[in-house]
Amino acid sequence: VGMAELFTVGEFSRLTHLPIKTLHHYHEAGLLEPAMVDPSTGYRYYAPGQLPTAQLVRRLREVRMPLADVRAVLTAPDRAARDEGIAAHLEQLRRELAGTASAVASLQALLIGDPSPGVVDISHRDAPAVACVELSGTVDRDEIGPWCAQAYPRLYRAVGQLGVAPSAPGGALYSSGWFEEGGGTVLAYVPVDLPTSSVVPVRATAEDRVRVGTLPAARLAVALHTGDFADLDMTYAQLGRHVLDRGIGAAGPLREIYLITPDDTTDPAAMRTEVCWPITGD
Amino acid sequence: VGMAELFTVGEFSRLTHLPIKTLHHYHEAGLLEPAMVDPSTGYRYYAPGQLPTAQLVRRLREVRMPLADVRAVLTAPDRAARDEGIAAHLEQLRRELAGTASAVASLQALLIGDPSPGVVDISHRDAPAVACVELSGTVDRDEIGPWCAQAYPRLYRAVGQLGVAPSAPGGALYSSGWFEEGGGTVLAYVPVDLPTSSVVPVRATAEDRVRVGTLPAARLAVALHTGDFADLDMTYAQLGRHVLDRGIGAAGPLREIYLITPDDTTDPAAMRTEVCWPITGD
DNA sequence: TTGCTCCTCACGTCACGTGAGGTGGC
DNA sequence: TTGCTCCTCACGTCACGTGAGGTGGC
């Protein structure tokens, strides 16, 4: 079992195109441990059989998979589990790239100066309490897209199972503090036509379970946002200024109502979202 | 000048969708400083006029522009300079996404198990010293693509100006240590037909200047790589094993020769690169 | 002896995020 | 007085990168 069978870090680095410092890091992180470490010198030696693993790690890192996930892939019990972990990450990457694409579009619109950045009409209205199916979760800012993508299908399926029809477009409540802290609790809901008497009592704050509940009444300042979600901040800025200038802001969650979503159209410009800011009772 | 004109961090956060902690960070980094800071409480207050700036910053960060570059955009002397900074970043982003796309393809090929990962033919040959135009630089691993993209056009232009023709395909020398340290000095070259006597003496190691020089002779083990650059490590692994197994490795830079490049074909599978490992004189 | 490759620490970087402990106005 | 929003500091995170100081075999 001569040294000819093993590679030094420098050799392994040239063979895999992974920098030595990165190999050190992967060793320390338990991701890619040398086949042998000389106990007296501390020299790392890698086996030829580790080359495919190193190549896989390099490719997974190139698509920005976190080290913890890479480790999970490497220690997957079987090939199916491994491929599933990779597929899940590629799906997330796909969404990330879609997000980048719309951010680029948004940036270019901001620069080219979308003729007039569109002054938004703002109206006030009283939203009554309404029965709904709802789903709440603790969600980070950058995971809100995927979270909604799984939440609304579940909600609409639940509506179907209740044997009723949605009574209005779906929406979501963003806990006050959601934007300030870059995430927090979100409540996605779909209003349904149920007499209030038949409403099942709200089961505490069970996360990740669809439940029947009552959307609280609120007085709201409402702006209609036209276009991609990436530009929602433009509408929030106008709506928020309107409310703050008049000193009519009230406590409570911000609310969005999804009138025309990516499920309804492939053209971002056709999307419509109502943005609602809680205000005092006038 | 009442408070009605200014926003607290919390308000500004909701208006811009930038988390408070991020606003703190941008303040500290001098990127987006509050219009006013209450000297007694330390409270930050933002002016309505800062909303467009904040929106721009948010969009630039969404496309992963480094904070230093964002700062440069914000302090650009005029609109042209600003737009140029943004355009440069978008171009870099485009290349990054292209890289990700080819990394995904490479990963999938690795998994689906590209029937046989192609055993590569390896030959030995003596490469004689040859006159060339050359350009050296200190380049990081992840900047090698863009660096080459500007290097070779300059080299071929220089060849034209010398009134000669390239005598062989262009290539590059990667200083020993380049892969081990994740970057270092690279020398891109294009061989030319000049009698050795007419060769202008090499002007030291002037970086970033095209110069006439002599490519050193070397004995090389050579493997022909077929396909995308993203898969070069597969060929390096086979070539390196061949050399290390036989104990014939010699000191000196690794060499790549670009036979068919993205400039010659749009099909990655048609690309051809010779990978050369220095070996002893047999 | 000189170079070369390897080693270990400790600290730096980038862009924030977390959390403790405390203040100030309604 | 209770909540709420705001503050500062110090430290954590992620995936390495930098650099000092030192070892070991040809």
Side-chain angles (χ1 to χ4, degrees), chain A residues 186-221:
Chain A
V186 183
L187 184 137
Y189 69 86
V190 175
V192 288
D193 251 334
L194 289 176
T196 325
S197 59
S198 75
V199 167
V200 176
V202 178
R203 270 166 276 165
T205 48
E207 285 214 349
D208 210 36
R209 295 279 302 160
V210 172
R211 55 187 191 279
V212 175
T214 305
L215 192 70
R219 183 162 174 78
L220 303 167

Side-chain angles (χ1 to χ4, degrees), chain A residues 31-215:
Chain A
L31 229 168
L32 189 55
E33 310 200 39
M36 182 204 130
V37 176
D38 186 304
S40 72
T41 64
Y43 277 34
R44 295 165 176 85
Y45 294 99
Y46 294 85
Q50 299 188 280
L51 285 169
T53 306
Q55 283 156 347
L56 178 58
V57 169
R58 198 169 83 91
R59 278 160 182 71
L60 293 176
R61 286 297 304 138
E62 267 173 29
V63 296
R64 293 186 279 285
M65 183 183 277
L67 289 194
D69 296 5
V70 173
R71 193 183 299 112
V73 164
L74 295 185
T75 62
D78 55 40
R79 189 181 176 121
R82 188 197 69 167
D83 288 358
E84 192 183 348
I86 293 171
H89 178 72
L90 288 182
E91 175 55 21
Q92 190 192 317
L93 185 66
R94 199 192 55 69
R95 279 191 304 252
E96 198 180 305
L97 296 185
T100 299
S102 88
V104 167
S106 172
L107 177 60
Q108 278 166 344
L110 191 70
L111 293 174
I112 311 289
D114 193 6
S116 101
V119 174
V120 183
D121 268 341
I122 295 168
S123 61
H124 295 185
R125 76 173 178 235
D126 279 302
V130 60
C132 65
V133 293
E134 57 184 45
L135 180 60
S136 70
T138 302
V139 189
D140 276 0
R141 272 244 58 189
D142 48 355
E143 287 162 14
I144 187 65
W147 187 82
C148 286
Q150 56 88 39
Y152 287 100
R154 289 179 64 194
L155 288 171
Y156 283 106
R157 230 176 296 134
V159 170
Q161 285 165 2
L162 283 174
V164 294
S167 61
L173 303 187
Y174 295 88
S175 63
S176 93
W178 199 81
F179 292 106
E180 292 95 317
E181 287 155 29
T185 67
V186 183
L187 184 137
Y189 69 86
V190 175
V192 288
D193 251 334
L194 289 176
T196 325
S197 59
S198 75
V199 167
V200 176
V202 178
R203 270 166 276 165
T205 48
E207 285 214 349
D208 210 36
R209 295 279 302 160
V210 172
R211 55 187 191 279
V212 175
T214 305
L215 192 70

Side-chain angles (χ1 to χ4, degrees), chain A residues 13-15 17 19-20 55 58-59 62 79 82 103 106 111 141 179-180 230-231 233-234 236 240, chain B residues 13-15 17 19-20 51 55 58-59 62 79 82 103 106 111 141 179-180 230-231 233-234 236 240:
Chain A
S13 168
R14 251 161 300 180
L15 293 176
H17 291 188
I20 292 178
Q55 283 156 347
R58 198 169 83 91
R59 278 160 182 71
E62 267 173 29
R79 189 181 176 121
R82 188 197 69 167
S106 172
L111 293 174
R141 272 244 58 189
F179 292 106
E180 292 95 317
D231 298 314
D233 60 340
M234 307 297 276
Y236 269 87
Chain B
S13 168
R14 253 162 297 181
L15 293 176
H17 291 190
I20 292 178
L51 285 169
Q55 284 157 347
R58 197 168 84 91
R59 278 161 181 71
E62 268 173 29
R79 185 176 179 126
R82 188 197 70 168
S106 171
L111 293 174
R141 273 243 60 191
F179 292 106
E180 292 94 319
D231 298 314
D233 60 340
M234 307 297 276
Y236 269 88

Side-chain angles (χ1 to χ4, degrees), chain B residues 81-96:
Chain B
R82 188 197 70 168
D83 289 357
E84 193 183 347
I86 293 171
H89 178 71
L90 287 181
E91 175 53 21
Q92 190 191 316
L93 185 67
R94 199 192 56 70
R95 280 192 304 251
E96 199 181 304

